[in-house]
Amino acid sequence: MKSLSPFLFLFGFVLLLSACGGNEEVATVDPAPVQPTDSAPAAAPASKGRIVWVDGLSLRESPSLTAKRVAKMKNGEVVKLTGQKSDENENAVLRGVLYSEPWYELTTEDGKQGWAHGGGLKGNREVKGNRPLTDTKFNFPYFGEFDLSGWKKTGPTSTSAGDFDYTTTTYVGDGQRLSITTTGTESGSEYGYNFDYLLQNSRGDTLKTRYFSYNNDIREIEEVVVDYMGAEPTQHRRTQSVSTAYQQLKGYPLMARGEWKSQPLSEVGKEDFEI
C-alpha cells in the first residue's frame, strides 16, 4: 500500500480544523426584563408632572396670590409643568399650614395653562399635605382626630391680661372635655398668637395638651404635644422658621412643618414644655 503524501495529510488536517469550528459564533439570549416594583405613573414623571393635593387650588394668570384666577383644580389632578417657575418664593397658607415656595407654570388635564403655588403641588412619592381643618373638625399629629360637632359647647369666654386677650371655648363629649384657648388672634397682637388645647377625662385628669404658637419676634412657628396617657408622659415638638409676621399672611397657620422630636417629658427643661 502506498503511503499518503505529506501534502494530502496536511490538507486533511486543515479540513478537520474547519469542521470543528474554532471561531463558531455563540448564540445569546437576552435576559427577561425586570418588572419595576414601584414604578411612577407615566402621566406624572417627577421631572415634568405634579399632583394637586389641595381641592380647589387656584390656577392664576401670573405668579401671584393677587393675580386673576383662571380655574380651580381638584384634589388628585395630575398637571404638567412647562419648566417655568417664579424667581422668588411666596408664602401661602394651605389647610392651616404655611408653605414658602415658588410658583410653577403648568397645564391642567383639560388643557388650561396658568400658574399655581408650589405648596399645593407634590411629586409622586413626596409626602405632603393634610386633611382640611376647621374649628370643630381637625386631626393633629400626636394629639388626635376630633369631630366636635356633636359635643356640648360652652363659650367662648374672653379675658384680658396686659397686652393679651384670651378666648376660651370648651367642648364636652365622649367622656372627655376639650378646652381651646386662643391668644392674640382677635387683637392682632404684634407679638404673634397662640392656640392652647387641654384634653381631660370626665374626672378632670389631663390626657393630652397641645401648644401652637406663631412668634413674630423670633420668626418661628412652634408646635408641642404632650401625651400623658402612656406609661411615661412624652413630649413631641417641631418648629418651622418663617420670614414674615402673621398679619401679612392670608389665613392663620395651625400646624408647623418640620421633623418631630420626641422625648420623655422628664428629660425636657421646664421652659421647653410649659404651656
Side-chain angles (χ1 to χ4, degrees):
M1 177 183 292
K2 295 182 179 180
S3 61
L4 294 174
S5 67
F7 175 79
L8 290 176
F9 180 82
L10 179 61
F11 179 75
F13 183 73
V14 171
L15 289 177
L16 180 62
L17 287 178
S18 299
C20 291
N23 294 323
E24 181 181 1
E25 182 178 354
V26 179
T28 59
V29 179
D30 293 331
V34 178
Q35 297 298 326
T37 57
D38 187 21
S39 59
S47 60
K48 296 183 179 180
R50 290 292 186 274
I51 300 172
V52 177
W53 69 265
V54 179
D55 198 36
L57 182 67
S58 294
L59 183 69
R60 299 186 180 275
E61 283 188 344
S62 59
S64 171
L65 290 173
T66 59
K68 182 180 178 181
R69 181 186 292 120
V70 176
K72 287 186 176 182
M73 295 172 285
K74 60 183 181 294
N75 183 17
E77 182 173 352
V78 178
V79 297
K80 185 176 181 180
L81 305 184
T82 66
Q84 300 296 317
K85 70 175 184 177
S86 61
D87 295 331
E88 303 292 336
N89 290 354
E90 186 169 5
N91 292 318
V93 179
L94 301 172
R95 289 188 180 175
V97 179
L98 175 61
Y99 294 88
S100 180
E101 298 193 23
W103 289 77
Y104 292 91
E105 188 181 45
L106 55 84
T107 302
T108 64
E109 291 177 339
D110 58 0
K112 293 185 176 68
Q113 187 166 317
W115 293 80
H117 191 272
L121 306 172
K122 67 177 183 177
N124 284 296
R125 297 181 180 87
E126 184 178 3
V127 178
K128 192 177 187 180
N130 57 280
R131 299 179 188 176
L133 302 174
T134 68
D135 291 341
T136 59
K137 191 172 184 179
F138 46 81
N139 184 9
F140 294 131
Y142 293 108
F143 191 72
E145 183 174 4
F146 292 86
D147 183 354
L148 306 176
S149 58
W151 291 32
K152 181 180 178 181
K153 177 182 176 181
T154 303
T157 59
S158 299
T159 58
S160 297
D163 295 332
F164 298 98
D165 296 326
Y166 301 87
T167 302
T168 300
T169 305
T170 301
Y171 299 88
V172 177
D174 296 339
Q176 297 178 327
R177 176 189 179 95
L178 177 60
S179 298
I180 304 174
T181 300
T182 61
T183 308
T185 56
E186 298 297 329
S187 60
S189 170
E190 61 179 302
Y191 305 107
Y193 64 87
N194 303 333
F195 283 84
D196 293 280
Y197 297 76
L198 173 62
L199 181 65
Q200 299 171 300
N201 60 21
S202 58
R203 298 188 304 272
D205 302 321
T206 298
L207 303 178
K208 293 182 180 181
T209 61
R210 179 179 184 270
Y211 170 75
F212 177 88
S213 72
Y214 192 113
N215 192 314
N216 280 351
D217 288 339
I218 62 174
R219 293 290 196 267
E220 182 181 77
I221 291 175
E222 181 182 25
E223 184 176 7
V224 181
V225 175
V226 179
D227 187 349
Y228 295 91
M229 300 175 67
E232 182 177 5
T234 303
Q235 175 190 271
H236 310 278
R237 180 178 182 268
R238 62 179 173 177
T239 61
Q240 176 184 353
S241 297
V242 296
S243 60
T244 185
Y246 80 90
Q247 290 91 339
Q248 297 176 336
L249 302 174
K250 293 181 65 176
Y252 289 109
L254 299 173
M255 292 197 301
R257 292 187 71 199
E259 296 295 327
W260 288 94
K261 179 182 179 181
S262 301
Q263 61 185 134
L265 191 59
S266 59
E267 298 180 8
V268 180
K270 182 178 180 181
E271 68 280 2
D272 290 330
F273 68 85
E274 192 172 66
I275 62 173

